[in-house]
């Protein structure tokens, strides 16, 4: 048994049961980490419940007017995105390896706080006291540090790409790049979601889509099974700044993910793979079939996809969501949770390297890499903006006018709001003809 001298009895029990070193346990004990969290860490189980309760308590106290959170311990929490602790006293707080993306910590007192390894992308730290703060290997990409103080702060390995610096200036490299491509900047919108479904005409991922009264659930022309509903966006409820660029109605995307395996008595060249022992007769000859493969589902206008802008009638159809047909790769085929889109977060969006070069701009590949590292590319599910191409630029031609369908309506990233992988962690794109608004299609790319 590991030496556990000078530790409380509960930590001795933890050591005995899980074999954690005395040095590690003593360090965590001194940091205020409770024994139940130690147990969860050592057993590999999720310990976010304990942390979530503490975060909820902090938020509740802050909203009630309390500002003194000196020495608080929220190490490793993944639930602090967009948290508002403006003006809070967080001296000596233990916040290492914490996700503080887009958090509001303006004018907070973080003197001596441990933020090493934390994700502070897009965080507002304006006016914050970061004297003696430990920020080793923290990600401060595009964070706002205007008027912040950093006396004796430990910034070894920290990523400050694109920061607004304490004197109010932009990172010089980023300022130069932004100036070169300023005219290509477009607004994009990241969906803000909440769990659960809503009315059938609401913007959503999964859940129950709008179908007109004379419609039934879409089925796949290739296999005859029900297609899976991925998302819809009510174009009447998108930001006014888009000025009805995409027309009117409800954008919807259905896609068939059906696949199966068929066992054959004999190998079929180019169709089956064989495993087992051929000599003993235990070999199996398996044919893998999927609508994604049969229909070249990654291509625009593929047979296994239905992407459309539907004009809703006065009343919707009455129906139940059909049971999804799937039997392979449960990681990719699990049921899609219903997530309602309740708001849109506006971001500045920029084209990829190839499209920047197409504009005749003298742009180095190192500049493009720097833009990625600086968080200027929003590789997320998003409305409008520029496509984040995984491979080459791929705008299909409009079937009516043969012009490029180069208007991005929506980008769908693997495992963002929908638990589905486009190939090997790829990205899907819903594209529209700028002239013929009813001409919309979908394609995806992967590495």
């Amino acid at each position: 048994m590991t030496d556990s001298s000078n530790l409380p009895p509960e930590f001795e029990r933890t050591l005995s049961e899980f074999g954690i070193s005395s040095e590690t346990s003593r360090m965590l004990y001194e940091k205020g980490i409770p024994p139940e969290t130690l147990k969860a860490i050592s057993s590999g189980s999720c310990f976010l419940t304990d942390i979530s309760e503490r975060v909820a308590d902090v938020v509740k106290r802050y909203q009630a007017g309390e500002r003194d959170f000196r020495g608080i311990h929220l190490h490793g929490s993944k639930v602090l995105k967009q948290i508002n602790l403006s003006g809070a006293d967080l001296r000596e707080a233990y916040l290492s390896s914490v996700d503080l993306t887009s958090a509001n910590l303006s004018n907070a007192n973080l003197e001596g706080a441990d933020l090493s390894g934390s994700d502070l992308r897009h965080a507002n730290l304006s006016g914050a006291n970061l004297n003696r703060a430990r920020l080793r290997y923290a990600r401060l990409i595009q964070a706002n540090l205007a008027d912040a103080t950093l006396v004796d702060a430990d910034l070894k390995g920290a990523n400050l790409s694109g920061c607004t610096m304490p004197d109010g200036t932009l990172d010089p490299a980023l300022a130069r790049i932004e100036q070169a491509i300023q005219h290509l900047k477009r607004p994009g919108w990241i969906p803000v979601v909440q769990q659960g479904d809503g009315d059938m005409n609401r913007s959503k991922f999964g859940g129950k889509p709008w179908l007109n009264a004379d419609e039934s659930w879409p089925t796949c022309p290739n296999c005859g099974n029900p297609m899976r509903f991925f998302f819809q966006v009510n174009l009447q409820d998108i930001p006014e700044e888009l000025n009805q660029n995409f027309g009117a109605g409800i954008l919807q995307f259905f896609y068939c993910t059906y696949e199966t395996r068929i066992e054959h008595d004999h190998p079929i060249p180019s169709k089956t793979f064989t495993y087992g022992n051929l000599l003993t007769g235990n070999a199996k000859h398996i044919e893998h079939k999927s609508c994604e493969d049969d229909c070249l589902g990654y291509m625009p206008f593929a047979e296994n996809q239905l992407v459309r802008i539907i004009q809703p009638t006065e009343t919707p159809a009455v129906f139940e969501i059909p049971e999804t047909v799937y039997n392979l790769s449960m990681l990719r085929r699990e049921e899609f949770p219903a997530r309602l889109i309740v708001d849109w977060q506006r971001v500045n969006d920029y084209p990829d390297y190839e499209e920047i070069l197409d504009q005749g701009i003298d742009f180095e590949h190192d500049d493009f890499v720097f833009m990625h590292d600086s968080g200027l590319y929003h590789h997320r599910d998003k409305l409008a903006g520029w496509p984040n191409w995984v491979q080459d630029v791929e705008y299909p031609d409009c079937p009516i006018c043969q012009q490029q369908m180069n208007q991005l309506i929506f980008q769908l990233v693997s495992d963002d709001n929908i638990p589905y992988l486009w190939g090997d962690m790829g990205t899907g794109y819903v594209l529209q003809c700028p002239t013929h608004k009813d001409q919309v299609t979908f394609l995806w790319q992967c590495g």
Side-chain angles (χ1 to χ4, degrees):
M1 177 176 168
T2 321
D3 177 23
S4 58
S5 58
N6 302 321
L7 291 178
E10 63 268 26
F11 276 80
E12 290 188 341
R13 289 194 295 271
T14 300
L15 288 171
S16 175
E17 186 175 358
F18 295 99
I20 302 172
S21 71
S22 58
E23 182 182 354
T24 300
S25 287
R26 188 172 294 106
M27 181 270 291
L28 292 172
Y29 171 66
E30 290 171 355
K31 295 290 187 182
I33 305 300
E36 59 268 25
T37 300
L38 269 179
K39 292 179 181 179
I41 294 170
S42 59
S43 64
S45 61
C46 178
F47 62 99
L48 290 183
T49 301
D50 170 65
I51 291 179
S52 297
E53 289 174 355
R54 282 185 279 156
V55 172
D57 178 62
V58 169
V59 172
K60 184 177 179 180
R61 288 158 55 192
Y62 181 87
Q63 291 174 343
E66 185 175 343
R67 294 295 180 267
D68 189 348
F69 300 100
R70 283 174 288 182
I72 194 167
H73 296 268
L74 292 172
H75 164 76
S77 174
K78 301 298 183 186
V79 288
L80 291 179
K81 285 185 178 181
Q82 302 178 353
I83 195 169
N84 178 21
L85 291 174
S86 176
D89 189 344
L90 292 160
R91 282 175 286 178
E92 306 297 336
Y94 186 49
L95 299 168
S96 70
S97 303
V98 166
D99 189 345
L100 285 158
T101 307
S102 301
N104 183 6
L105 296 169
S106 59
N107 300 307
N109 189 349
L110 288 152
E111 185 171 3
D114 188 350
L115 291 155
S116 54
S118 288
D119 193 340
L120 289 151
R121 286 174 297 168
H122 305 281
N124 182 5
L125 291 157
S126 60
N129 177 5
L130 291 160
N131 295 345
R132 298 189 301 103
R134 295 180 291 282
L135 289 157
R136 285 193 169 208
Y137 302 102
R139 300 180 71 192
L140 289 151
I141 297 166
Q142 286 203 307
N144 182 4
L145 290 169
D147 298 319
T149 56
L150 291 157
V151 177
D152 294 328
D154 186 351
L155 290 163
K156 181 179 178 180
N159 188 339
L160 293 160
S161 298
C163 267
T164 302
M165 304 307 286
D167 62 0
T169 61
L170 271 181
D171 181 316
L174 184 62
R176 173 183 58 79
I177 291 171
E178 281 198 314
Q179 183 176 6
I181 60 174
Q182 182 70 20
H183 62 293
L184 299 178
K185 180 171 65 177
R186 290 179 183 171
W189 284 268
I190 308 298
V192 179
V193 302
Q194 68 181 27
Q195 297 295 331
D197 206 346
D199 292 342
M200 291 168 59
N201 64 349
R202 294 285 301 276
S203 300
K204 63 180 73 175
F205 296 95
K208 202 167 190 177
W210 179 280
L211 296 179
N212 282 334
D214 58 348
E215 287 189 301
S216 56
W217 189 276
T219 56
C220 175
N222 185 57
C223 68
N225 289 306
M227 289 185 171
R228 300 197 71 179
F229 171 60
F230 278 67
F231 76 94
Q232 69 180 25
V233 174
N234 191 324
L235 298 177
Q236 305 303 117
D237 296 333
I238 60 178
E240 291 183 6
E241 190 176 346
L242 283 167
N243 196 27
Q244 297 186 328
N245 284 0
F246 306 131
I250 301 176
L251 170 72
Q252 294 183 325
F253 176 56
F254 296 81
Y255 189 83
C256 184
T257 63
Y258 176 71
E259 62 178 325
T260 189
R261 289 177 179 176
I262 304 169
E263 187 173 331
H264 296 274
D265 293 332
H266 303 284
I268 303 173
S270 76
K271 286 190 175 182
T272 61
F273 64 92
T274 301
Y275 69 90
N277 194 322
L278 289 170
L279 296 178
T280 62
N282 293 328
K284 296 183 181 297
H285 311 287
I286 304 298
E287 179 184 5
H288 174 251
K289 291 182 66 67
S290 75
C291 290
E292 203 164 58
D293 292 339
D294 291 348
C295 302
L296 303 179
Y298 56 88
M299 297 286 288
F301 305 106
E303 192 177 40
N304 70 320
Q305 63 175 247
L306 173 62
V307 54
R308 65 180 182 175
I309 297 178
I310 185 175
Q311 303 304 320
T313 55
E314 290 186 4
T315 56
V318 178
F319 65 94
E320 295 297 327
I321 299 175
E323 183 178 351
T324 304
V325 180
Y326 60 91
N327 62 355
L328 292 176
S329 185
M330 296 301 289
L331 180 63
R332 293 184 61 188
R333 307 299 188 243
E334 64 188 64
E335 293 298 338
F336 297 161
R339 289 174 174 157
L340 197 61
I341 300 175
V342 296
D343 202 358
W344 300 95
Q345 178 190 353
R346 190 187 190 279
V347 294
N348 290 325
D349 212 21
Y350 296 90
D352 275 352
Y353 181 60
E354 187 177 337
E355 294 201 75
I356 292 174
L357 294 183
D358 287 344
Q359 300 293 322
I361 297 172
D362 184 14
F363 201 72
E364 300 294 332
H365 191 266
D366 286 347
D367 293 336
F368 175 65
V369 172
F370 182 82
M371 288 178 69
H372 268 283
D373 291 344
S374 300
L376 286 182
Y377 286 106
H378 304 279
H379 195 62
R380 298 276 309 280
D381 290 349
K382 67 181 177 184
L383 174 73
W386 290 91
N388 299 130
W389 297 111
V390 178
Q391 299 181 17
D392 295 331
V393 177
E394 189 179 356
Y395 294 119
D397 292 339
C398 172
I400 296 176
C401 65
Q402 281 70 58
Q403 299 301 308
Q404 280 192 345
M405 299 175 68
N406 58 7
Q407 186 156 276
L408 175 72
I409 305 183
F410 206 84
Q411 177 172 282
L412 197 62
V413 174
S414 290
D415 276 350
D416 193 349
N417 285 292
I418 289 289
Y420 191 82
L421 304 182
W422 301 109
D424 182 13
M425 290 300 292
T427 299
Y429 316 91
V430 175
L431 301 167
Q432 181 184 50
C433 175
T435 303
H436 301 95
K437 305 295 187 185
D438 60 331
Q439 294 301 307
V440 287
T441 191
F442 174 83
L443 60 93
W444 60 263
Q445 297 179 345
C446 67

